[in-house]
Amino acid sequence: QVQLVESGGGLVQPGGSLRLSCAASGIIFSLSAMGWYRQAPGKERELVATIARDESTTYADSVKGRFTISRESAKNRVSLQMNSLKPEDTAVYYCNIGTFRSGSYSASVYWGQGTQVTVSS
């Protein structure tokens, strides 16, 4: 019954911007922590950003100052604004429902299908 659907990926030039969105259903959105992950070919899936139920956020060092995660409870949606994009940001980006335990984000089994982000000239 839980469904996550990502959108907003595409091809962008270095230095450009994209905004990813994740629409959630089948959950009590206001009680859920959410995270964005990414995975590039040949690399492990990487946690990019998280947002807790109180809207506190965390970011991977590689994206701090460039990416912003936010949530819109009325629309059951979490977004990732990506600015100053670099070729190394190229990956499939995934939305996830999770929890915080002892200050660390733990992913659940609920994932979206992913959306491709390609940063290239």
Side-chain angles (χ1 to χ4, degrees):
Q1 297 299 313
V2 177
Q3 186 176 34
L4 303 173
V5 180
E6 300 98 335
S7 62
L11 175 65
V12 65
Q13 295 183 16
S17 298
L18 284 174
R19 186 175 180 87
L20 307 183
S21 294
C22 174
S25 61
I27 63 170
I28 303 175
F29 188 81
S30 63
L31 299 180
S32 300
M34 306 291 292
W36 282 98
Y37 286 75
R38 67 185 181 187
Q39 187 167 26
K43 295 185 178 180
E44 296 181 349
R45 189 167 295 188
E46 173 190 22
L47 180 61
V48 175
T50 70
I51 185 164
R53 64 179 69 181
D54 65 357
E55 300 190 10
S56 61
T57 59
T58 70
Y59 298 93
D61 288 341
S62 59
V63 306
K64 285 182 179 177
R66 300 189 298 119
F67 291 11
T68 302
I69 188 172
S70 61
R71 64 194 301 157
E72 304 168 72
S73 295
K75 298 180 179 180
N76 280 17
R77 184 164 64 196
V78 61
S79 298
L80 185 69
Q81 178 66 44
M82 305 185 295
N83 299 325
S84 302
L85 284 163
K86 305 174 181 179
E88 51 263 43
D89 295 318
T90 296
V92 178
Y93 284 71
Y94 298 91
C95 180
N96 172 256
I97 301 170
T99 58
F100 281 96
R101 299 190 177 109
S102 299
S104 297
Y105 185 82
S106 296
S108 74
V109 298
Y110 301 112
W111 298 85
Q113 83 288 349
T115 186
Q116 176 71 49
V117 172
T118 302
V119 185
S120 176
S121 299

